[in-house]
């Protein structure tokens, strides 16, 4: 296994700080990173050549008549155009998309909000693509229910908000969506009771079953505001990861594609530091899963499968970017045989040369959700945001929110 050193992507301007990033792959293989700026705009930067050099920061402005919006999540339409989603302080779902695959952007568009609830402006929405190419977006409403909205046809217009309800024991918190081997979308969240709850489609793109609980690790979960991460193994089995109350990373997986679930198992924790936030996970070129977390020593730590879909190795540190610490949550995206890890200002690419396989790597984007506990929100309409450098704490007057 080889890895690059940390590389800086800069920032839009000296007076603009950036939030946690979201990365997605263009249809031609070039990576694109989207972040909220302290100026209230959505900023993005993309590779000029797949897997190589990067361009400059460009503003996508912000949704009209909004003061703030959640960190964006993005996916690709059936025709390859990237589409980014966020919830504004008006509680509406806002989205913006490319005019053509990898080229240009339309203006912001609103898909409204749930009829009997407000969109949860504390959490970014979840997004998944159905097997027929239709995008589907999920949010937890202020009524505690899970709501969703979807394209009526691939690349097409959007329907109306529909509630999926909630378990009787808990409200829905931060939803994370994945896709089963047979194409059925499945949504996960950690409940107020500490259990991992899930709901899934009856058939690909059609209907939903009732809520089901997978319980929680023996040591309990760290809390509902630290969301799980979900990924599909090479054989199609879903696997879910979350932080336990004991500080260790725990996981649970399907025993067979589309099938029943295992018991909880521990991946332990880094030997010299505590885990500081929820995990991000992606699949390597040879199908082995790789999981990354930030730790209290300011470094990025990772752990990976030693056998595809089976056993795991031990924790290892990827260190820190120069002159700073990784105190914001990482986002990891599989691209061109590498795992690309993005923070505000920095990226690091991890190349795996040990694989006997030469499989094309899918642009499977894992959605690192917005965590309100990562910020200090003051009721005086000011917030203190801790940028990637612990030595540079800036206070910016903005409307109070989860940002």
């Amino acid at each position: 296994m080889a890895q690059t050193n940390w590389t800086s992507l800069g920032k839009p301007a000296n007076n603009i700080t950036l939030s946690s990033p979201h990365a997605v792959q263009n249809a031609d293989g070039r990576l694109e990173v989207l972040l909220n700026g302290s100026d209230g705009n959505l900023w993005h930067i993309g590779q000029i050549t797949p897997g190589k050099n990067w361009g400059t920061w460009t503003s996508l402005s912000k949704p009209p008549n909004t003061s703030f919006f959640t960190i964006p999540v993005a996916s690709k339409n059936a025709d390859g155009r990237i589409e980014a989603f966020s919830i504004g302080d008006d509680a509406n779902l806002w989205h913006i998309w490319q005019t053509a695959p990898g080229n240009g952007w339309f203006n912001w568009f609103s898909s409204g909000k749930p009829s009997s609830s407000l969109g949860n402006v504390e959490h970014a929405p979840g997004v998944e693509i159905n097997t027929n190419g239709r995008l589907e977006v999920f949010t937890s409403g202020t009524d505690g229910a899970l709501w969703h909205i979807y394209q009526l046809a691939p690349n097409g217009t959007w329907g109306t908000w529909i509630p999926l309800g909630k378990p009787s024991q808990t409200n829905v918190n931060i939803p994370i969506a994945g896709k089963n081997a047979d194409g059925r979308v499945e949504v996960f969240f950690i409940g107020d009771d500490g259990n991992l709850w899930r709901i899934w489609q009856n058939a690909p793109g059609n209907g939903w079953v009732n809520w089901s609980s997978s319980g929680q690790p023996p040591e309990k979960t760290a809390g509902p505001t630290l969301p799980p991460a979900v990924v599909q193994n090479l054989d199609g089995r879903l696997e879910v990861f979350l932080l336990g109350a004991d500080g260790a990373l725990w996981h649970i997986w399907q025993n067979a594609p589309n099938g029943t679930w295992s018991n909880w198992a521990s991946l332990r924790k880094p030997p010299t530091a505590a885990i500081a936030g929820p995990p991000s996970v992606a699949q390597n070129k040879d199908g082995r899963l790789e999981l990354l977390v930030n730790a209290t020593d300011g470094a990025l730590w990772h752990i990976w499968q030693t056998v595809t879909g089976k056993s795991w190795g031990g924790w290892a540190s990827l260190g820190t970017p120069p002159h700073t610490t990784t105190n914001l949550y990482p986002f990891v995206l599989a691209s061109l045989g590498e795992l690309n890890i993005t923070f505000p200002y920095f990226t690091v690419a991890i190349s795996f040369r040990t694989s006997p396989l030469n499989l094309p790597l899918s642009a499977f984007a894992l959605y690192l959700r917005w965590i309100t506990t990562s910020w200090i929100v003051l009721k005086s309409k000011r917030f203190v945001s801790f940028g990637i450098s612990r030595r540079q704490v800036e206070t910016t007057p903005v409307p109070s929110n989860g940002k």
Side-chain angles (χ1 to χ4, degrees):
M1 182 179 68
Q3 69 187 57
T4 68
N5 293 322
W6 288 97
T7 303
S8 174
L9 292 179
K11 56 182 180 178
N14 288 334
N15 63 339
I16 295 177
T17 56
L18 299 171
S19 67
S20 295
H22 186 92
V24 66
Q25 194 174 49
N26 279 284
D28 60 5
R30 293 177 302 109
L31 296 183
E32 189 112 4
V33 178
L34 302 102
L35 310 95
N36 288 352
S38 57
D39 60 349
N41 292 319
L42 179 65
W43 290 84
H44 71 126
I45 189 171
Q47 288 177 332
I48 299 173
T49 305
K52 295 182 180 179
N53 54 318
W54 290 75
T56 57
W57 289 99
T58 305
S59 173
L60 292 176
S61 189
K62 62 180 178 180
N65 304 316
T66 62
S67 300
F68 63 87
F69 51 98
T70 63
I71 283 178
V73 294
S75 187
K76 279 208 298 279
N77 279 278
D79 60 7
R81 292 175 301 111
I82 292 174
E83 190 156 355
F85 303 85
S86 183
I87 296 176
D89 59 352
D90 57 359
N92 289 318
L93 176 70
W94 289 90
H95 42 139
I96 188 170
W97 56 90
Q98 291 176 329
T99 56
N103 184 35
W105 292 80
F106 278 109
N107 295 323
W108 286 94
F109 177 82
S110 173
S111 284
K113 54 192 172 187
S115 58
S116 60
S117 173
L118 297 178
N120 198 327
V121 297
E122 294 181 345
H123 308 146
V127 61
E128 184 57 271
I129 186 167
N130 283 280
T131 51
N132 66 353
R134 294 181 301 109
L135 293 178
E136 190 156 356
V137 175
F138 304 86
T139 185
S140 54
T142 53
D143 60 351
L146 179 67
W147 291 78
H148 67 137
I149 190 172
Y150 47 85
Q151 289 176 328
L152 300 176
N155 314 308
T157 58
W158 290 75
T160 58
W161 286 98
I162 300 172
L164 289 174
K166 61 181 181 179
S168 59
Q169 300 93 326
T170 179
N171 289 329
V172 175
N173 292 302
I174 306 172
I176 305 294
K179 194 157 58 180
N180 281 279
D182 61 4
R184 291 175 300 112
V185 173
E186 190 156 353
V187 180
F188 304 82
F189 78 94
I190 299 173
D192 301 327
D193 57 1
N195 290 328
L196 177 70
W197 288 89
R198 53 195 175 89
I199 190 172
W200 59 91
Q201 292 174 332
N202 280 315
N206 184 32
W208 293 81
V209 302
N210 293 324
W211 288 96
S212 178
S213 171
S214 291
Q216 57 185 303
E219 302 298 329
K220 310 302 182 184
T221 53
T225 58
L226 296 174
V230 59
V231 66
Q232 193 180 91
N233 278 279
L234 185 62
D235 62 2
R237 292 179 302 111
L238 290 179
E239 191 157 351
V240 176
F241 304 83
L242 55 79
L243 183 62
D246 60 348
L249 243 295
W250 290 80
H251 62 141
I252 191 171
W253 57 90
Q254 289 177 329
N255 294 309
N258 316 307
T260 59
W261 289 78
S262 70
N263 294 322
W264 288 95
S266 175
L267 290 174
R268 305 171 304 282
K269 52 189 173 184
T272 59
I275 296 173
S280 185
V281 62
Q283 192 181 99
N284 281 289
K285 187 176 182 179
D286 61 2
R288 292 177 300 117
L289 300 184
E290 184 106 2
L291 185 144
L292 300 104
V293 295
N294 286 337
T296 52
D297 62 353
L300 179 68
W301 287 79
H302 65 141
I303 189 172
W304 58 93
Q305 289 176 337
T306 55
V307 178
T308 303
K310 295 182 179 179
S311 55
W312 289 76
W315 288 95
S317 175
L318 290 171
T320 63
H323 313 301
T324 188
T325 55
T326 58
N327 65 328
L328 288 176
Y329 303 136
F331 183 94
V332 59
L333 176 68
S335 166
L336 301 176
E338 297 179 339
L339 294 185
N340 287 267
I341 306 151
T342 308
F343 293 89
Y345 324 151
F346 290 96
T347 61
V348 60
I350 307 173
S351 304
F352 293 88
R353 311 298 183 191
T354 59
S355 170
L357 303 177
N358 187 22
L359 301 175
L361 196 61
S362 68
F364 184 75
L366 303 171
Y367 307 109
L368 183 61
R369 297 297 178 257
W370 179 248
I371 314 302
T372 57
T373 55
S374 65
W375 302 98
I376 297 176
V377 182
L378 303 182
K379 297 300 182 182
S380 59
K381 294 189 177 180
R382 300 175 67 86
F383 75 97
V384 181
S385 67
F386 295 88
I388 194 163
S389 172
R390 295 177 191 265
R391 293 179 296 177
Q392 296 177 346
V393 180
E394 296 189 15
T395 304
T396 307
V398 296
S400 178
N401 58 79
K403 183 177 175 181

CSV table of all heavy atoms in Angstrom, one decimal, residues 240-258:
chain,number,residue,atom,x,y,z
A,240,VAL,N,-22.7,-1.7,7.8
A,240,VAL,CA,-22.9,-0.4,8.5
A,240,VAL,C,-21.9,-0.3,9.6
A,240,VAL,O,-21.6,-1.2,10.3
A,240,VAL,CB,-24.4,-0.4,9.1
A,240,VAL,CG1,-24.6,0.9,9.9
A,240,VAL,CG2,-25.4,-0.5,7.9
A,241,PHE,N,-21.4,0.9,9.8
A,241,PHE,CA,-20.4,1.3,10.8
A,241,PHE,C,-20.9,2.4,11.7
A,241,PHE,O,-21.5,3.4,11.2
A,241,PHE,CB,-19.1,1.7,10.1
A,241,PHE,CG,-18.5,0.7,9.2
A,241,PHE,CD1,-19.0,0.6,7.9
A,241,PHE,CD2,-17.6,-0.2,9.6
A,241,PHE,CE1,-18.5,-0.3,7.0
A,241,PHE,CE2,-17.0,-1.2,8.7
A,241,PHE,CZ,-17.5,-1.2,7.4
A,242,LEU,N,-20.6,2.4,13.0
A,242,LEU,CA,-20.9,3.5,13.8
A,242,LEU,C,-20.0,3.5,15.1
A,242,LEU,O,-19.3,2.5,15.3
A,242,LEU,CB,-22.4,3.4,14.3
A,242,LEU,CG,-22.9,2.1,15.0
A,242,LEU,CD1,-22.5,2.0,16.4
A,242,LEU,CD2,-24.4,2.0,14.9
A,243,LEU,N,-20.0,4.6,15.7
A,243,LEU,CA,-19.2,4.8,16.9
A,243,LEU,C,-19.9,4.3,18.2
A,243,LEU,O,-21.0,4.7,18.4
A,243,LEU,CB,-18.8,6.3,17.1
A,243,LEU,CG,-17.8,6.6,18.2
A,243,LEU,CD1,-16.5,5.9,18.1
A,243,LEU,CD2,-17.6,8.1,18.3
A,244,GLY,N,-19.2,3.5,19.0
A,244,GLY,CA,-19.8,3.0,20.2
A,244,GLY,C,-19.5,3.9,21.4
A,244,GLY,O,-18.6,4.7,21.4
A,245,ALA,N,-20.3,3.7,22.4
A,245,ALA,CA,-20.1,4.5,23.7
A,245,ALA,C,-18.7,4.2,24.3
A,245,ALA,O,-18.2,5.0,25.1
A,245,ALA,CB,-21.2,4.2,24.7
A,246,ASP,N,-18.1,3.0,24.0
A,246,ASP,CA,-16.8,2.7,24.5
A,246,ASP,C,-15.7,3.3,23.7
A,246,ASP,O,-14.5,3.1,24.0
A,246,ASP,CB,-16.7,1.2,24.5
A,246,ASP,CG,-16.8,0.5,23.1
A,246,ASP,OD1,-17.2,1.3,22.2
A,246,ASP,OD2,-16.5,-0.6,22.9
A,247,GLY,N,-16.0,4.1,22.7
A,247,GLY,CA,-15.0,4.8,21.8
A,247,GLY,C,-14.5,4.0,20.7
A,247,GLY,O,-13.7,4.4,19.9
A,248,ALA,N,-15.0,2.7,20.6
A,248,ALA,CA,-14.6,1.9,19.5
A,248,ALA,C,-15.5,2.0,18.3
A,248,ALA,O,-16.6,2.5,18.4
A,248,ALA,CB,-14.5,0.4,19.9
A,249,LEU,N,-15.0,1.6,17.1
A,249,LEU,CA,-15.9,1.5,15.9
A,249,LEU,C,-16.5,0.1,15.8
A,249,LEU,O,-15.8,-0.9,16.0
A,249,LEU,CB,-15.0,1.7,14.6
A,249,LEU,CG,-15.4,2.9,13.8
A,249,LEU,CD1,-16.7,2.8,13.2
A,249,LEU,CD2,-15.2,4.2,14.6
A,250,TRP,N,-17.8,0.1,15.7
A,250,TRP,CA,-18.6,-1.2,15.6
A,250,TRP,C,-19.2,-1.3,14.2
A,250,TRP,O,-19.5,-0.3,13.6
A,250,TRP,CB,-19.7,-1.2,16.7
A,250,TRP,CG,-19.1,-1.4,18.1
A,250,TRP,CD1,-18.6,-0.4,18.9
A,250,TRP,CD2,-19.0,-2.6,18.8
A,250,TRP,NE1,-18.2,-0.9,20.1
A,250,TRP,CE2,-18.5,-2.2,20.1
A,250,TRP,CE3,-19.4,-3.9,18.6
A,250,TRP,CZ2,-18.2,-3.2,21.1
A,250,TRP,CZ3,-19.2,-4.8,19.6
A,250,TRP,CH2,-18.6,-4.5,20.8
A,251,HIS,N,-19.4,-2.6,13.8
A,251,HIS,CA,-20.0,-2.8,12.5
A,251,HIS,C,-20.9,-4.0,12.5
A,251,HIS,O,-20.8,-4.9,13.4
A,251,HIS,CB,-18.9,-2.9,11.4
A,251,HIS,CG,-18.0,-4.0,11.5
A,251,HIS,ND1,-17.6,-4.8,10.4
A,251,HIS,CD2,-17.4,-4.6,12.5
A,251,HIS,CE1,-16.7,-5.7,10.8
A,251,HIS,NE2,-16.6,-5.6,12.1
A,252,ILE,N,-21.8,-4.0,11.6
A,252,ILE,CA,-22.8,-5.1,11.4
A,252,ILE,C,-23.0,-5.2,9.9
A,252,ILE,O,-22.9,-4.2,9.1
A,252,ILE,CB,-24.1,-4.7,12.1
A,252,ILE,CG1,-25.1,-5.9,12.2
A,252,ILE,CG2,-24.8,-3.5,11.6
A,252,ILE,CD1,-26.3,-5.7,13.1
A,253,TRP,N,-23.3,-6.4,9.4
A,253,TRP,CA,-23.3,-6.6,7.9
A,253,TRP,C,-24.4,-7.7,7.6
A,253,TRP,O,-24.8,-8.5,8.4
A,253,TRP,CB,-22.0,-7.1,7.4
A,253,TRP,CG,-21.4,-8.3,8.1
A,253,TRP,CD1,-21.6,-9.6,7.7
A,253,TRP,CD2,-20.7,-8.4,9.3
A,253,TRP,NE1,-21.0,-10.5,8.6
A,253,TRP,CE2,-20.4,-9.7,9.6
A,253,TRP,CE3,-20.2,-7.4,10.2
A,253,TRP,CZ2,-19.7,-10.1,10.7
A,253,TRP,CZ3,-19.4,-7.8,11.3
A,253,TRP,CH2,-19.2,-9.2,11.5
A,254,GLN,N,-24.8,-7.6,6.3
A,254,GLN,CA,-25.7,-8.7,5.8
A,254,GLN,C,-24.9,-10.0,5.7
A,254,GLN,O,-23.8,-10.0,5.2
A,254,GLN,CB,-26.3,-8.2,4.5
A,254,GLN,CG,-27.3,-7.1,4.6
A,254,GLN,CD,-27.8,-6.7,3.2
A,254,GLN,OE1,-27.0,-6.8,2.2
A,254,GLN,NE2,-29.0,-6.2,3.2
A,255,ASN,N,-25.6,-11.1,6.1
A,255,ASN,CA,-25.0,-12.4,6.0
A,255,ASN,C,-24.9,-12.9,4.5
A,255,ASN,O,-24.0,-13.7,4.2
A,255,ASN,CB,-25.7,-13.4,6.8
A,255,ASN,CG,-25.6,-13.1,8.3
A,255,ASN,OD1,-24.5,-12.9,8.8
A,255,ASN,ND2,-26.8,-13.0,9.0
A,256,ALA,N,-25.8,-12.4,3.7
A,256,ALA,CA,-25.8,-12.6,2.3
A,256,ALA,C,-26.4,-11.4,1.6
A,256,ALA,O,-27.2,-10.6,2.2
A,256,ALA,CB,-26.7,-13.9,2.0
A,257,PRO,N,-26.1,-11.2,0.3
A,257,PRO,CA,-26.7,-10.1,-0.4
A,257,PRO,C,-28.2,-10.0,-0.2
A,257,PRO,O,-28.9,-11.1,-0.4
A,257,PRO,CB,-26.3,-10.3,-1.8
A,257,PRO,CG,-25.0,-11.1,-1.7
A,257,PRO,CD,-25.2,-12.0,-0.5
A,258,ASN,N,-28.8,-8.9,0.2
A,258,ASN,CA,-30.2,-8.7,0.4
A,258,ASN,C,-30.8,-9.4,1.5
A,258,ASN,O,-32.0,-9.5,1.7
A,258,ASN,CB,-31.0,-9.1,-0.9
A,258,ASN,CG,-30.4,-8.6,-2.2
A,258,ASN,OD1,-30.1,-7.4,-2.3
A,258,ASN,ND2,-30.2,-9.5,-3.1
